[in-house]
Amino acid sequence: MEQKSYYPYYLPILLFIAMLVDGHVSSAMMGMLSIPMTFTSHLVLLILMFSTFKVSQTYLMICATIIGLLYDSYFYNVLGINLILFPVIVFFMYRLFEYVEPNTLTLILSFIVFVTLISIGRAVLLSIFKLTTANFLDFFTRNLAPSLLINVLYICLLVIPLSKIYGINKT
């Protein structure tokens, strides 16, 4: 993978706005549907994934750590969940895209894997910190499946426009 030294000043602002939109979309989905399921939006993860193609790894890891800290304080009131998970996932993104050529299909499949990893990571960390009592069957049926549904919709709608914006020509 080529060396990147691009440090966009707007990326932290974009990530912060995406974090706020994530919370509102998730709340709106749960409010509209009267079923006991949690729809977790991952626009922050989507922007982080596409940013790996343009932004330096160090800069993106710092942004991911800061947005993870803000995410934790805004949504969980417990520091450590996304503070750990976002930089780890960004690290895996850089490693993956060293070996996988980005095209529409690989971006969609990669995003599905990253959403699954971050969702499972959150469930494990929430269980370790004793912030949830849900078992993993409930997690898969009431959290992971609905979250994957909404995020697959995001990536399918946004993969081509974001590929063009971020200059990924192999779509």
Side-chain angles (χ1 to χ4, degrees):
M1 186 176 255
E2 66 203 47
Q3 283 290 77
K4 300 175 199 95
S5 60
Y6 184 59
Y7 305 106
Y9 61 89
Y10 60 85
L11 184 61
I13 297 165
L14 183 63
L15 288 170
F16 183 73
I17 291 169
M19 179 191 80
L20 295 176
V21 170
D22 275 347
H24 290 293
V25 168
S26 298
S27 294
M29 290 295 292
M30 288 189 303
M32 285 190 314
L33 304 171
S34 60
I35 52 177
M37 292 190 177
T38 305
F39 292 85
T40 307
S41 173
H42 288 291
L43 287 174
V44 169
L45 196 62
L46 185 65
I47 292 169
L48 287 171
M49 184 179 80
F50 276 94
S51 295
T52 60
F53 299 107
K54 286 290 185 187
V55 179
S56 137
Q57 182 176 354
T58 306
Y59 181 70
L60 194 60
M61 294 285 280
I62 291 168
C63 287
T65 303
I66 292 169
I67 202 69
L69 177 70
L70 292 172
Y71 207 102
D72 284 342
S73 62
Y74 188 74
F75 291 111
Y76 293 116
N77 293 327
V78 173
L79 300 180
I81 309 288
N82 291 300
L83 181 68
I84 294 168
L85 290 175
F86 281 162
V88 168
I89 295 291
V90 167
F91 177 79
F92 284 134
M93 288 175 182
Y94 275 101
R95 295 294 82 74
L96 175 72
F97 291 120
E98 284 179 1
Y99 302 104
V100 175
E101 195 66 35
N103 61 41
T104 303
L105 182 63
T106 58
L107 289 171
I108 291 170
L109 294 176
S110 299
F111 186 65
I112 292 169
V113 168
F114 295 137
V115 167
T116 303
L117 286 175
I118 203 160
S119 296
I120 291 173
R122 275 188 192 144
V124 167
L125 288 174
L126 287 170
S127 295
I128 289 171
F129 292 138
K130 306 255 189 267
L131 296 174
T132 185
T133 57
N135 62 31
F136 277 96
L137 182 60
D138 284 341
F139 163 73
F140 281 110
T141 57
R142 295 179 186 215
N143 190 314
L144 184 60
S147 296
L148 281 173
L149 182 69
I150 191 171
N151 288 294
V152 166
L153 181 65
Y154 281 160
I155 189 70
C156 288
L157 291 174
L158 297 175
V159 68
I160 292 176
L162 286 174
S163 293
K164 292 189 186 314
I165 290 170
Y166 279 90
I168 303 167
N169 297 326
K170 297 180 178 23
T171 54

